[in-house]
């Protein structure tokens, strides 16, 4: 009788044993498939978010170089001079294929003329805006209004983080370059009865102050009233195009800081090198900041690593368990095997029969695994991800607790010789990306089925090989005597 037919008849005759083997192999394959689809889902989510996360690269003043130049100056009054880079270089770097968009930052300090600035005071000081905020440029004196020049206000950290929200009109965009359009804070507008479309006047802080008329195109609302500088209020920040502060500080056509947002975060190192070559100035530092993004990805990477371990552990344990079961089964079938070998049946055919039996059970177990694997993988994967996120949040909170580290919360505009640039260099991971990393979307793909089938074949092949040793090394007489 053909060994394939014998395998089929054996399985139908030994229904209970066959069902038990089916359940054991199904359990093994369900966990193997769960591990495979969890790993695939984690890899896919990580790759997708890596490409669209929007890591940032910031070009800002080299602070050490600035202090070094100030101390080596022979001038009586030594002041820090913020370096600038030509906007043409910034635009050239912005055309790199890996850059999604960029935001130029320039700031200037002016005094309110046709309206009153919001005045604040503390218990120890009543400076009335004297320090003037970020104050870029080279002027030592500061006004009560901070002009925050940007390419796109909507892409600044203040707006992307939700600290500021546009409530009327429109925001500053790249099309506002070389105009005097501004967006002012709601409280400043209310106190001075300013509406969208009105014109306001400010004057420069130079000795021969010049008045500048600004057109209000939008009004935003700042959520927080706190600020790191006494005497300065967020309401005194006016957003405008980056060209206006540059013209006020006498650096038209140049800028002091720019932040590039990448399309693909995996190209961060290569893009940083390209931007350095384009800027080509030791007065600027080019740095990338994807720390928060990496922290966000860490739980998903942990799940990916854990799923990989699940696959290997279950495969190894499954091979051992099936091998032991088949060895016991072979011992119980010694008489049957001895008779067949005595009748001239090849030992390889006997092994082939065992393999065929296991293969038939494997096919049934795969059907069960495909029915249950997605459900189990989804539940287990999301539970693992939830635990990893909880651990990650706890670790982050613990590491950030002492001293409160990090940049101060910022209602202050980007800009200045250092602070604004650092604020803008924070990675702006979108809400969509955060949501994508909080849920593991598992699904069974053709590649998952192929991997499962391949691992199933390897498992039963190894298990049959383990049990076949006792058949191949004995003669028919020894088999029957042993029985």
């Amino acid at each position: 009788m053909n060994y394939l037919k014998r395998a089929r008849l054996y399985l139908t005759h030994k229904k209970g044993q066959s069902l038990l083997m089916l359940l054991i192999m199904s359990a093994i394959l369900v966990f193997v498939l769960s591990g495979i689809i969890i790993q695939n889902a984690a890899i896919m989510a990580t790759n997708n978010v890596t490409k669209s996360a929007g890591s940032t690269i910031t070009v800002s003043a080299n602070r050490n170089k600035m202090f070094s130049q100030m101390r080596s100056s022979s001038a009586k009054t030594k002041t820090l001079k913020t370096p600038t880079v030509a906007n043409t270089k910034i635009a050239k770097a912005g055309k790199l294929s890996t850059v999604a968009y960029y935001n130029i930052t320039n700031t200037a300090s002016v005094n309110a003329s046709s309206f009153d600035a919001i005045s604040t005071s503390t218990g120890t000081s009543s400076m009335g805006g004297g320090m003037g905020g970020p104050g870029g440029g080279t002027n030592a004196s500061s006004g009560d209004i901070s002009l925050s020049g940007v390419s796109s206000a909507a892409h600044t950290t203040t707006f992307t983080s939700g600290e500021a929200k546009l409530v009327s009109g429109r925001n500053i965009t790249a099309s506002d370059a070389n105009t005097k359009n501004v967006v002012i804070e709601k409280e400043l507008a209310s106190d001075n009865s300013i509406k969208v479309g009105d014109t306001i006047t400010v004057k420069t802080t130079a000795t021969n102050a010049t008045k500048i008329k600004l057109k209000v195109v939008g009004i935003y609302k700042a959520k927080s009233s706190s600020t790191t500088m006494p005497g300065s209020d967020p309401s005194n920040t006016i957003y405008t195009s980056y060209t206006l502060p540059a013209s006020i500080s006498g650096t038209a056509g140049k800028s002091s800081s720019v932040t590039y947002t990448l399309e693909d975060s995996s190209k961060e190192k290569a893009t940083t090198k390209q931007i350095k070559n384009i800027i080509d100035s030791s007065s600027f530092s080019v740095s990338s900041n994807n720390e928060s993004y990496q922290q966000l990805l860490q739980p998903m990477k942990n799940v990916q690593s854990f799923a990989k371990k699940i696959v290997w552990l279950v495969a190894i344990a499954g091979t051992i368990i099936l091998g032991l079961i088949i060895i016991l089964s072979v011992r119980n079938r010694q008489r049957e095997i001895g008779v067949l070998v005595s009748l001239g049946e090849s030992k390889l055919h006997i092994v082939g029969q065992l393999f065929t039996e296991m293969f038939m059970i494997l096919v049934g177990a795969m059907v069960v695994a495909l029915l249950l694997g997605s459900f189990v993988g989804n539940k287990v994967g999301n539970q693992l991800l939830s635990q990893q996120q909880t651990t990650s949040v706890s670790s982050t909170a613990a590491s950030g607790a002492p001293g409160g580290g990090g940049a101060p919360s910022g209602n202050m505009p980007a800009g200045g010789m250092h602070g604004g640039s650092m604020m803008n260099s924070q990675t702006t991971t979108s809400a969509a990306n955060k949501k994508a990393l909080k849920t593991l979307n598992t699904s069974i793909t053709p590649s998952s089925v192929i991997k499962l089938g391949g691992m199933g074949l390897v498992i039963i092949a190894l298990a049959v090989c383990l049990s076949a040793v006792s058949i191949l090394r004995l003669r028919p007489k020894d088999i029957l005597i042993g029985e």
Side-chain angles (χ1 to χ4, degrees):
M1 184 184 295
N2 185 287
Y3 71 91
L4 297 175
K5 187 176 180 181
R6 283 203 308 273
R8 180 175 58 81
L9 291 175
Y10 182 83
L11 291 178
T12 54
H13 181 67
K14 298 285 186 179
K15 290 186 177 64
Q17 185 175 327
S18 301
L19 181 62
L20 180 62
M21 288 294 292
L22 177 66
L23 293 176
I24 294 173
M25 192 172 290
S26 296
I28 293 171
L29 292 188
V30 164
F31 282 105
V32 170
L33 180 61
S34 298
I36 291 173
I37 62 177
I38 289 172
Q39 189 180 8
N40 288 345
I43 291 173
M44 189 177 297
T46 303
N47 290 342
N48 289 340
V49 174
T50 297
K51 288 181 180 177
S52 60
S55 291
T56 57
I57 296 174
T58 300
V59 179
S60 57
N62 185 332
R63 192 170 173 78
N64 291 334
K65 187 74 179 289
M66 289 169 61
F67 273 97
S68 176
Q69 290 177 340
M70 181 192 73
R71 286 166 183 148
S72 62
S73 170
S74 58
K76 288 184 179 179
T77 304
K78 297 185 176 182
T79 56
L80 281 173
K81 186 176 181 181
T82 304
T84 55
V85 61
N87 291 341
T88 51
K89 286 189 175 182
I90 292 175
K92 184 179 179 182
K95 291 179 181 177
L96 292 173
S97 59
T98 51
V99 175
Y101 58 86
Y102 63 94
N103 205 4
I104 299 174
T105 304
N106 282 322
T107 60
S109 186
V110 295
N111 286 309
S113 178
S114 65
F115 61 97
D116 295 325
I118 302 295
S119 180
T120 61
S121 63
T122 66
T124 57
S125 173
S126 58
M127 297 172 66
M131 293 299 292
T138 59
N139 286 340
S141 58
S142 299
D144 50 16
I145 294 293
S146 174
L147 284 180
S148 179
V150 294
S151 308
S152 168
H155 287 145
T156 61
T157 306
T158 310
F159 279 89
T160 56
S161 66
E163 287 296 320
K165 182 181 178 182
L166 188 73
V167 294
S168 180
R170 64 171 181 84
N171 228 328
I172 295 297
T173 65
S175 63
D176 290 305
N178 300 314
T179 70
K180 293 175 182 176
N181 295 335
V182 296
V183 174
I184 65 174
E185 210 278 330
K186 184 179 179 182
E187 300 303 331
L188 182 68
S190 299
D191 281 6
N192 292 281
S193 302
I194 301 172
K195 304 185 297 296
V196 173
D198 288 352
T199 298
I200 58 176
T201 306
V202 295
K203 56 185 178 182
T204 60
T205 57
T207 305
N208 299 320
T210 304
K211 289 189 176 182
I212 304 171
K213 288 186 177 181
L214 309 175
K215 183 179 180 182
V216 179
V217 297
I219 297 175
Y220 74 94
K221 170 74 175 173
K223 282 188 176 179
S224 174
S225 61
S226 64
T227 176
T228 56
M229 293 187 180
S232 177
D233 189 274
S235 298
N236 293 329
T237 297
I238 294 179
Y239 286 93
T240 183
S241 172
Y242 63 94
T243 54
L244 181 57
S247 64
I248 291 174
S249 59
T251 57
K254 298 179 180 179
S255 297
S256 57
S257 177
V258 58
T259 301
Y260 295 94
T261 301
L262 306 188
E263 283 188 345
D264 186 348
S265 297
S266 64
K267 307 291 184 185
E268 176 192 331
K269 288 185 179 178
T271 307
T272 300
K273 187 176 180 180
Q274 289 177 303
I275 292 175
K276 277 183 180 177
N277 291 335
I278 293 172
I279 299 299
D280 192 27
S281 172
S282 60
S283 296
F284 284 90
S285 62
V286 181
S287 59
S288 60
N289 189 330
N290 65 352
E291 185 179 350
S292 58
Y293 157 68
Q294 290 296 339
Q295 286 178 350
L296 201 64
L297 278 185
Q298 194 55 46
M300 193 64 79
K301 288 183 176 178
N302 290 342
V303 170
Q304 183 180 326
S305 174
F306 191 77
K308 188 176 181 181
K309 290 174 184 173
I310 287 178
V311 172
W312 282 108
L313 286 175
V314 172
I316 293 171
T319 303
I320 295 172
I321 291 171
L322 284 179
L324 292 174
I325 291 174
I326 297 174
I327 288 172
L328 290 174
S329 172
V330 168
R331 288 178 67 86
N332 291 332
R333 297 168 66 181
Q334 259 190 323
R335 181 178 178 79
E336 173 195 344
I337 294 171
V339 170
L340 287 172
V341 176
S342 300
L343 293 174
E345 182 63 288
S346 165
K347 288 181 180 178
L348 290 178
H349 281 182
I350 301 294
V351 175
Q353 178 183 340
L354 292 175
F355 184 82
T356 304
E357 291 170 6
M358 296 305 299
F359 181 77
M360 291 179 177
I361 293 173
L362 173 66
V363 173
M366 281 192 65
V367 174
V368 176
L370 292 175
L371 292 174
L372 300 178
S374 182
F375 174 78
V376 175
N378 191 44
K379 291 290 183 185
V380 174
N382 281 298
Q383 182 63 31
L384 283 173
L385 183 60
S386 175
Q387 289 177 349
Q388 290 297 329
Q389 285 172 338
T390 302
T391 304
S392 177
V393 169
S394 302
S395 301
T396 304
S399 62
S409 82
N411 294 309
M412 297 299 295
M417 65 182 180
H418 188 68
S421 301
M422 289 300 293
M423 286 166 60
N424 266 344
S425 70
Q426 300 295 321
T427 301
T428 53
T429 305
S430 69
N433 286 333
K434 289 180 179 178
K435 186 179 179 181
L437 291 172
K438 284 183 177 179
T439 306
L440 202 62
N441 296 315
T442 59
S443 61
I444 298 175
T445 61
S447 65
S448 302
V449 179
I450 293 172
K451 282 183 183 177
L452 180 67
M455 294 201 71
L457 284 173
V458 172
I459 290 173
I460 64 171
L462 291 174
V464 171
C465 287
L466 284 174
S467 61
V469 174
S470 61
I471 300 173
L472 295 174
R473 69 185 178 86
L474 295 178
R475 294 177 300 173
K477 182 180 176 182
D478 296 330
I479 297 174
L480 290 173
I481 290 174
E483 194 273 340

